[in-house]
Amino acid sequence: MPEESKPFGVKVTDSFSRRFQFSLWKLTAVYVAILAIILFLSSFIIYSAFSSQLVHRFRDVHPIPEEYLNVIAPAPSADDVRADLINSLILVNGFLLVIAGFSSYWLAKLTLSPINEAYEKQRAFLSDASHELRTPLAILKTDLENEMAAPGVSLAAKARAESNLEEVDRMGRLVSDLLLLANSGEDGSNRVKNVQKVDLTVLARQVLGRFDRLATEHQVTLRSSPDNIALEILTNEELLQRVLTNLVKNGILYNRPNGSVTINMAESGSSVIINIVDTGIGISPEDLPKIFNRFYRSDKSRSRATGGSGLGLAIVRSSVEQLGGSVTAKSELEKGSSFTIKLPKRI
Ligand code: ADP
């Protein structure tokens, strides 16, 4: 059984928006703590100073003679005044602490806003740049295809154009993946829209069907379980399909002859668990915490040979997060990997 990597489990759900929210609450708590300490110290100083004043004030007060006791109200004692002071301090400080809570949250948000803005700018830049790159790539592709199909083209020129076309295709996939990631709304603002009823077993079969040829080429068997009972959830089919597609593709590409990729599905309370298991080359414990990072490839030469850009798992993570779920991975070198996705039955 492949071994679980704990740091990895934490890493996967660690999106920018979650880290941002966590930092916001942490900073708010720090500000509240500082203000509470200031309030406590100032109250303590006020109380000490006032108490010592009280001692002097009440030292020279003479008791009211018996015969006047019915005529005028008895003067308060030093303890009465001290108790009044404590009550007032508690009341005022309690009120100030509530105000401190709100203003700390506002202050923390203000402190962190440049980070949020920088992140948004980076995302917008990535989206614009990827978008702009699409047109020249499409022109290049058409030119190279025409060059290859031109009459009388030499074999050497054709081979060169073919190799260039492969690079352009790779670049095209990279640009599409980047665009997908940039527009995936990791900040949670881009909540999933097209929610529909999806039968997981049907979707799994469809995804596996699309990889029939690739699996045969790599001598890998594809399975899904269960494959005959309906397992319906309310989700965004396109995003879920993207997740399964990326994981099954990796399961085939990082596999060995006579290996297998299996999609297991099960209900678990208000969630469903989808587990994609392969019997492939596995991932080392050092690489496991990093594989969901953008552009991370543990085996650069193999990844390049498979045409991978290192964005597949980053897309998986971002898509699962948009679906309100989580993804974790277990792996053992030379034995295989297992990716587990937990999704709510309805978003
Ligand atoms: P790539 O496009 O390179 O496949 P991914 O983001 O999909 O990028 O995967 C990142 C890296 O994680 C891959 O380069 C590969 O080294 C490793 N990896 C992903 N899935 C598997 C798997 N099922 N088995 C072994 N290694 C994997």
Side-chain angles (χ1 to χ4, degrees), residues 57-123:
R57 283 250 175 247
F58 280 84
R59 198 180 41 207
D60 306 325
V61 174
H62 300 292
I64 300 169
E66 287 269 324
E67 60 268 31
Y68 291 115
L69 271 181
N70 293 333
V71 187
I72 53 171
S77 68
D79 284 342
D80 290 336
V81 177
R82 212 175 273 127
D84 280 350
L85 175 66
I86 291 175
N87 285 342
S88 309
L89 283 176
I90 290 175
L91 203 76
V92 171
N93 282 348
F95 178 67
L96 286 179
L97 263 182
V98 174
I99 294 181
F102 283 111
S103 44
S104 295
Y105 182 76
W106 175 78
L107 214 62
K109 223 170 168 178
L110 200 72
T111 313
L112 292 177
S113 64
I115 298 174
N116 205 19
E117 275 165 27
Y119 177 78
E120 276 309 313
K121 269 191 195 145
Q122 185 217 35
R123 213 160 67 87

Side-chain angles (χ1 to χ4, degrees), residues 177 246-255 261 276-284 287 290-300 302-304 306-316 331 333 336-339:
D177 282 355
N246 274 303
L247 292 177
V248 170
K249 190 165 101 189
N250 280 351
I252 301 171
L253 295 178
Y254 299 105
N255 218 312
V261 178
I276 292 116
V277 196
D278 68 63
T279 56
I281 57 171
I283 304 159
S284 71
D287 286 323
K290 302 175 204 150
I291 53 166
F292 282 79
N293 293 350
R294 293 172 186 188
F295 295 113
Y296 190 82
R297 292 177 293 179
S298 49
D299 181 348
K300 308 264 182 306
R302 183 163 178 149
S303 295
R304 197 174 165 83
T306 58
S309 58
L311 289 175
L313 289 181
I315 290 175
V316 166
S331 191
L333 273 179
S337 310
S338 148
F339 291 82

